[in-house]
């Protein structure tokens, strides 16, 4: 005696060896001894043998049409033997019954399984929908194959052209177009970004990086919604001094300016004047909410995204010729020793006499002219005094540079008409020292005032090498100060705007707008650190990008670099660090020559090959196609 049974969703036939109440020992059609539960037995039969039986049943299954079976089947629940009898018009043979069973089992759209060997016809509307789904999937499979064929041939399908942005920045991985792109990437070994680029879908590598950043951090765009008019600039006492600022030519958010006055007692009065938007931007106002959302101005080569709208900036920026509201600190300084005697903070209006620009000032206000006592330029006497004073402030912090160590270099990027100019400037030059030392001083002193009065504020701290924001005053080891708060750039950083409100309240002897343990400040602290890190990372990425563009623009094929460690090098004349796998083991600081193999503007990477250790500068450099840095 033989039997037909179901195992793992398949029908098999075998010879019964032992028949128990709940299970049977069976030799399968392939000769394997198996245990079959009675519940899985579909039918028993005497002939033909299992292998012949299965072959005959499969032949009947293939001939039976599921649509026809659905039409003749009862609308009520039925057994497969009943349908076989109706289909054949006679008592079915075992192979005929088995064939119909197999067809029912393999037609889940047409028939729903209700139990062992029992089925029910699908409703007409459900069958129609299921068939439509099959047809749709078939069309999608054909469309998918067509898309993949085009993509692997590095041609962008026409249907994908309007969806490139979605595929690049916010892909829907259930969408057919993404599935096609993913399949083509597996076939070509390329990333989606690189494959789309090979297909000509990325018109501008620069715009790709910019849009990637904007979609994550400015999903609603970089424009400003309409806001209520700013509060009228309050009537304030007029300062007895005129001030001047020092910024680069592109700066519009001029936060700080300086004044210098010789006092009757022979000492000097140094004024540090900070733009005061906190006087016009009320906490929780719509404009304040915008600033709290952006948290900082975003800078990158060739562009910026301001924290505040142009109208707000125009009302409070310290631009030349304006009389602007300011939070001023006046510092009395001794002559010659340049020691601080006292300082006081005032809220006032200050006339801005000039906006000095780095590009013009650096040629005159520099180490050479200062040490030689030469040169003639605007505000020369005031700048010279500030240079001496800033040197004393630097020494008081214990941060006077070691003349034996090389000076660090900063780089400026200027992008015009899609061409980039990269210039370097020594860190710690007179302009940098004057501005940075005065900012450090006022931020440290205002931080001390806030701490001494128990006024809540946001501090910048550095301990154990880690820089972070905190609501508690703590040392900033890198700057060499006991506490440090950001309050000198309120047009550009929301933290500074928050802190300025607190300092102004102290200066005007008014209740601070943010009480101790203010939830607002804890929220700002958390959000600001995340945003500020992301903005700085974007700026660094775009600076690397424009370094690569400069290499292409100048047709540089060979360049000098210095070894940092292992195979990590820093390119000479550019703020660019990269790895060179072919670099031999060399001491840190070694100078090497590299050939530039590939510039990757999408991954912002550079592939280089080690050529040799660098020859002295007075050796002859190869002509043409190099950086001039042999």
């Amino acid at each position: 005696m033989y039997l037909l049974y179901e195992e793992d969703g398949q029908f098999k036939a075998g010879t019964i060896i032992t028949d128990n109440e709940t299970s049977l020992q069976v030799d399968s059609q392939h000769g394997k001894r198996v245990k079959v539960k009675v519940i899985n037995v579909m039918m028993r039969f005497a002939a033909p043998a299992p292998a012949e039986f299965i072959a005959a049943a499969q032949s009947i299954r293939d001939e039976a049409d599921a649509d026809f079976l659905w039409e003749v089947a009862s609308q009520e629940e039925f057994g497969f033997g009943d349908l076989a009898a109706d289909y054949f018009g006679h008592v079915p043979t075992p192979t005929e019954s088995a064939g119909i069973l197999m067809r029912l089992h393999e037609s889940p759209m047409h028939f729903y399984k209700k139990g062992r060997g029992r089925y029910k016809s699908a409703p007409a509307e459900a069958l129609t929908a299921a068939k439509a789904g099959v047809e749709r999937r078939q069309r999608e499979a054909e469309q998918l194959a067509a898309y993949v064929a085009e993509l692997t041939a590095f041609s962008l399908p026409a249907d994908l052209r309007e969806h490139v942005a979605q595929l690049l920045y916010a892909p829907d991985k259930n969408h057919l177009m993404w599935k096609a792109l993913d399949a083509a990437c597996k076939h070509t070994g390329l990333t989606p970004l690189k494959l789309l680029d090979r297909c000509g879908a990325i018109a501008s590598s620069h715009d790709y990086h910019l849009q990637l950043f904007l979609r994550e951090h400015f999903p609603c765009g970089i424009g400003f919604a309409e806001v209520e008019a700013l509060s009228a600039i309050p009537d304030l006492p007029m300062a007895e001094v005129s001030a001047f600022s020092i910024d680069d030519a592109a700066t519009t958010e001029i936060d700080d300016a300086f004044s210098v006055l010789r006092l009757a007692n022979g000492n000097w009065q140094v004024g540090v004047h900070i733009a005061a938007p906190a006087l016009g931007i009320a906490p929780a106002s719509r404009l304040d909410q915008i600033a709290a959302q952006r948290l900082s101005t975003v800078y990158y080569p060739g562009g910026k995204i301001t924290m505040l709208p142009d109208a707000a900036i125009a009302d409070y920026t310290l631009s030349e010729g304006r009389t602007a509201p300011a939070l001023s600190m006046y510092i009395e300084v001794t002559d010659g020793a340049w020691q601080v005697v006292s300082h006081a903070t005032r809220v006032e209006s200050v006339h801005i006499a000039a906006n000095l620009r780095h590009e013009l000032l650096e040629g005159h206000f520099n180490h050479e002219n200062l040490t030689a006592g030469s040169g003639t330029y605007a505000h020369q006497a005031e700048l010279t005094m500030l240079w001496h004073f800033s040197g004393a402030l630097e020494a008081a912090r214990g941060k006077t540079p070691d003349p034996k160590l090389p000076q660090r270099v900063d780089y400026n990027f200027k992008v015009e008409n899609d061409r980039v100019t990269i210039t370097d400037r020594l860190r710690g030059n007179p302009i940098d020292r004057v501005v940075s030392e005065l900012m450090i001083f006022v931020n440290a002193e205002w931080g001390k005032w806030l701490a001494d009065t128990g006024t809540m504020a946001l501090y910048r701290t550095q301990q154990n090498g880690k820089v972070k924001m905190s609501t508690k005053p703590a040392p900033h080891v890198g700057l060499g100060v006991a506490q440090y708060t950001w309050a000198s750039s309120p047009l550009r950083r929301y933290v500074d705007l928050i802190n300025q409100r607190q300092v102004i309240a102290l200066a005007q002897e008014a209740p601070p707008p943010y009480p101790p343990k203010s939830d607002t400040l804890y929220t700002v602290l958390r959000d600001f650190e995340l945003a500020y890190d992301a903005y700085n990372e974007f700026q660094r990425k775009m600076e690397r990008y424009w370094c690569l563009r400069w290499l292409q623009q100048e047709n540089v094929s060979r360049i000098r670099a210095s070894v940092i460690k292992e195979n990590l090098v820093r390119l000479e004349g550019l703020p660019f660090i990269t790895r060179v796998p072919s670099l031999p083991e060399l001491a840190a600081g070694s100078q090497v020559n590299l050939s530039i193999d590939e510039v990757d503007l999408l991954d912002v990477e550079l592939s280089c090959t080690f050529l040799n250790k660098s020859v002295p500068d007075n050796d002859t450099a190869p002509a043409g196609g190099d950086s001039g840095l042999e």
Side-chain angles (χ1 to χ4, degrees):
M1 180 65 70
Y2 309 115
L3 82 168
L4 179 70
Y5 62 96
E6 183 179 1
E7 182 180 79
D8 298 329
Q10 294 184 331
F11 293 114
K12 299 179 180 180
T15 303
I16 300 173
I17 304 301
T18 304
D19 190 349
N20 299 316
E21 290 186 6
T22 60
S23 64
L24 302 93
Q25 292 291 325
V26 175
D27 281 348
S28 72
Q29 65 198 72
H30 303 295
K32 182 179 178 182
R33 180 68 55 88
V34 295
K35 181 180 179 181
V36 178
K37 293 182 179 180
V38 171
I39 194 173
N40 292 328
V41 175
M42 309 306 298
M43 61 186 296
R44 303 181 188 219
F45 58 95
E52 183 183 347
F53 176 86
I54 290 295
Q58 289 175 342
S59 177
I60 293 171
R61 174 203 63 190
D62 295 341
E63 293 176 358
D65 180 71
D67 285 331
F68 180 74
L69 287 176
W70 181 84
E71 290 180 7
V72 301
S74 168
Q75 295 302 305
E76 303 299 324
E77 185 179 316
F78 58 87
F80 68 91
D82 299 330
L83 182 59
D86 292 340
Y87 181 77
F88 290 106
H90 58 254
V91 176
T93 66
T95 53
E96 289 174 338
S97 293
I100 296 300
L101 173 62
M102 290 178 180
R103 173 50 62 204
L104 291 170
H105 182 73
E106 295 178 12
S107 305
M109 285 194 311
H110 295 75
F111 303 101
Y112 301 153
K113 188 173 182 181
K114 292 298 182 180
R116 184 179 61 168
R118 300 194 63 78
Y119 294 85
K120 189 175 190 307
S121 298
E125 60 273 14
L127 180 59
T128 300
K131 286 183 175 181
V134 170
E135 293 174 359
R136 175 179 55 79
R137 286 190 291 273
Q138 180 60 34
R139 289 195 303 271
E140 288 180 351
E142 294 171 357
Q143 185 67 75
L144 178 68
Y147 286 158
V148 171
E150 285 193 75
L151 289 167
T152 53
F154 305 119
S155 173
L156 185 67
D159 293 345
L160 268 65
R161 290 172 187 165
E162 295 182 0
H163 301 275
V164 169
Q166 180 184 355
L167 292 170
L168 282 173
Y169 308 118
D172 178 357
K173 296 190 177 181
N174 292 318
H175 198 282
L176 182 67
M177 293 181 183
W178 170 260
K179 291 178 180 178
L181 180 61
D182 184 55
C185 287
K186 292 175 181 175
H187 182 81
T188 61
L190 298 174
T191 64
L193 174 62
K194 291 298 182 66
L195 180 54
L196 287 172
D197 183 52
R198 285 287 300 272
C199 293
I202 301 176
S204 166
S205 54
H206 175 274
D207 291 350
Y208 162 73
H209 294 300
L210 179 59
Q211 288 302 316
L212 188 65
F213 171 78
L214 294 179
R215 282 173 178 264
E216 179 176 0
H217 298 284
F218 294 85
C220 297
I222 60 174
F224 291 93
E226 292 293 329
V227 297
E228 68 273 14
L230 288 171
S231 302
I233 297 175
D235 292 330
L236 300 169
M238 188 67 195
E240 297 177 357
V241 296
S242 290
F244 60 89
S245 67
I246 307 174
D247 291 283
D248 63 56
T251 300
T252 56
E253 304 151 291
I254 304 174
D255 290 294
D256 52 80
F258 313 104
S259 63
V260 177
L261 180 67
R262 192 65 179 260
L263 299 175
N265 62 3
N267 288 341
W268 295 91
Q269 175 186 277
V270 174
V272 181
H273 311 281
I274 306 300
L279 294 171
I281 302 175
S285 65
R286 180 63 186 127
L287 189 54
D288 181 63
Q289 292 171 3
I290 290 172
Q293 186 176 34
R294 297 197 173 198
L295 292 162
S296 172
T297 290
V298 181
Y299 295 96
Y300 59 95
K304 68 177 178 179
I305 305 166
T306 60
M307 180 180 76
L308 295 172
D310 289 345
I313 294 170
D315 275 356
Y316 288 93
T317 188
L318 305 182
S319 56
E320 185 173 319
R322 292 193 69 225
T323 297
L327 177 63
S328 301
M329 178 182 286
Y330 288 100
I331 311 160
E332 184 175 348
V333 182
T334 60
D335 186 33
W338 315 110
Q339 298 300 303
V340 174
V341 175
S342 64
H343 61 79
T345 298
R346 302 174 194 163
V347 182
E348 59 185 4
S349 292
V350 178
H351 176 69
I352 308 301
N355 293 146
L356 306 182
R357 300 300 186 178
H358 289 175
E359 294 81 354
L360 299 177
L361 188 58
E362 283 177 339
H364 304 285
F365 183 46
N366 52 49
H367 284 291
E368 291 77 11
N369 284 344
L370 286 166
T371 53
S374 59
T376 302
Y377 46 92
H379 299 278
Q380 182 174 2
E382 296 98 319
L383 288 167
T384 301
M385 182 271 156
L386 293 176
W387 179 65
H388 288 298
F389 178 42
S390 64
L393 291 175
E394 187 176 59
R397 296 189 298 111
K399 299 297 178 180
T400 301
D402 186 345
K404 297 178 182 178
L405 296 177
Q407 289 182 271
R408 296 180 65 182
V409 176
D410 286 330
Y411 293 88
N412 294 327
F413 292 76
K414 186 175 182 180
V415 179
E416 289 183 331
N417 300 321
D418 216 30
R419 289 183 63 84
V420 61
T421 303
I422 304 174
T423 56
D424 57 11
R425 54 200 298 264
L426 293 177
R427 187 177 295 185
N429 64 55
I431 293 176
D432 283 352
R433 192 176 82 178
V434 165
V435 175
S436 63
E437 288 300 326
L438 290 175
M439 294 304 106
I440 292 170
F441 182 83
V442 298
N443 282 319
E445 291 302 318
W446 279 332
K448 183 177 185 300
W449 194 15
L450 291 163
D452 288 347
T453 57
T455 305
M456 191 173 185
L458 296 172
Y459 297 88
R460 193 79 168 164
T461 72
Q462 184 190 38
Q463 298 181 81
N464 301 319
K466 184 177 181 180
V467 180
K468 65 176 184 177
M469 302 299 298
S470 173
T471 57
K472 303 293 184 183
H476 193 299
V477 175
L479 296 178
V481 294
Q483 68 287 306
Y484 184 72
T485 188
W486 270 344
S488 55
S489 297
L491 293 173
R492 302 185 247 193
R493 284 192 304 246
Y494 190 61
V495 165
D496 298 61
L497 182 61
I498 290 280
N499 286 331
Q500 187 181 79
R501 287 172 177 152
Q502 302 293 78
V503 175
I504 287 176
L506 292 180
Q508 295 181 332
E509 298 182 353
Y514 304 104
K517 298 183 179 180
S518 166
D519 289 341
T520 298
L521 265 64
Y522 287 116
T523 300
V524 170
L525 183 149
R526 179 199 65 211
D527 294 346
F528 179 82
E529 286 206 298
L530 293 173
Y532 202 63
D533 287 347
Y535 296 173
N536 284 336
E537 177 59 30
F538 175 65
Q539 181 177 359
R540 287 190 293 268
K541 178 182 180 181
M542 296 311 293
E543 287 177 352
R544 282 179 63 85
Y545 171 85
W546 281 108
C547 286
L548 295 178
R549 287 287 298 269
W550 183 86
L551 291 172
Q552 290 185 330
Q553 171 186 299
E554 302 301 320
N555 197 29
V556 177
S557 60
R558 302 173 69 180
I559 195 166
R560 179 185 291 169
S562 60
V563 177
I564 299 174
K565 64 177 182 178
E566 299 173 349
N567 64 356
L568 191 66
V569 302
R570 178 182 287 107
L571 302 189
E572 185 169 283
L574 295 173
F576 197 96
I577 293 173
T578 189
R579 292 193 179 276
V580 182
S582 61
L583 191 74
E585 186 174 345
L586 295 171
S590 298
Q591 300 293 307
V592 296
N593 290 319
L594 308 173
S595 68
I596 295 176
D597 302 328
E598 181 183 3
V599 171
D600 188 335
L601 295 177
L602 293 174
D603 287 338
V604 198
E605 293 294 344
L606 180 68
S607 297
C608 296
T609 299
F610 169 76
L611 294 175
N612 50 49
K613 290 190 69 173
S614 179
V615 297
D617 287 334
N618 56 3
D619 280 11
T620 303
D626 60 57
S627 68
L629 300 174
E630 270 298 301

